[in-house]
Amino acid sequence: MSADDDGFARPLAWLPVPAEEIDGLPEELDYARWDGEAEFPTDPARCAFYAVPYLKKPEVCLRPLPRMTGVRVVQTLTAGVEHMLPAVPDLPAGARLC
């Protein structure tokens, strides 16, 4: 099942690079690529794992989060998370910022 199917049987991960370029990704997840472009690749509410676009302005990285009602993990690709802190109070209960 792809990230664009309507079945939603598997959790969805948003990645800033194509999933095909990353070895060893779990087969239990669906993947969609979003590197901060204007259009979201899927409904953000479907996203369970959000790998934040690399070296984008905070307003870009934070933009989908209010609609990511099912997100469980928000993973930055930088050493710091300061640019993501404004979103922490609004993350779903139990979600993790890494």
Side-chain angles (χ1 to χ4, degrees), residues 23-47:
D23 291 332
L25 289 176
E27 294 181 19
E28 296 82 15
L29 300 175
D30 285 333
Y31 299 93
R33 179 176 181 260
W34 188 67
D35 65 0
E37 303 124 7
E39 296 293 321
F40 295 142
T42 65
D43 179 359
R46 268 204 68 209
C47 185

Side-chain angles (χ1 to χ4, degrees), residues 9-92:
R10 300 188 303 186
L12 175 66
W14 278 19
L15 305 173
V17 297
E20 308 80 55
E21 294 180 10
I22 303 173
D23 291 332
L25 289 176
E27 294 181 19
E28 296 82 15
L29 300 175
D30 285 333
Y31 299 93
R33 179 176 181 260
W34 188 67
D35 65 0
E37 303 124 7
E39 296 293 321
F40 295 142
T42 65
D43 179 359
R46 268 204 68 209
C47 185
F49 178 92
Y50 173 41
V52 177
Y54 187 62
L55 295 177
K56 299 291 183 179
K57 293 182 180 186
E59 55 268 18
V60 171
C61 299
L62 296 171
R63 188 167 58 95
L65 281 170
R67 295 180 49 197
M68 288 183 168
T69 56
V71 73
R72 304 298 301 151
V73 176
V74 177
Q75 176 70 55
T76 67
L77 301 178
T78 59
V81 296
E82 293 79 16
H83 62 295
M84 300 301 294
L85 292 180
V88 170
D90 297 322
L91 290 175

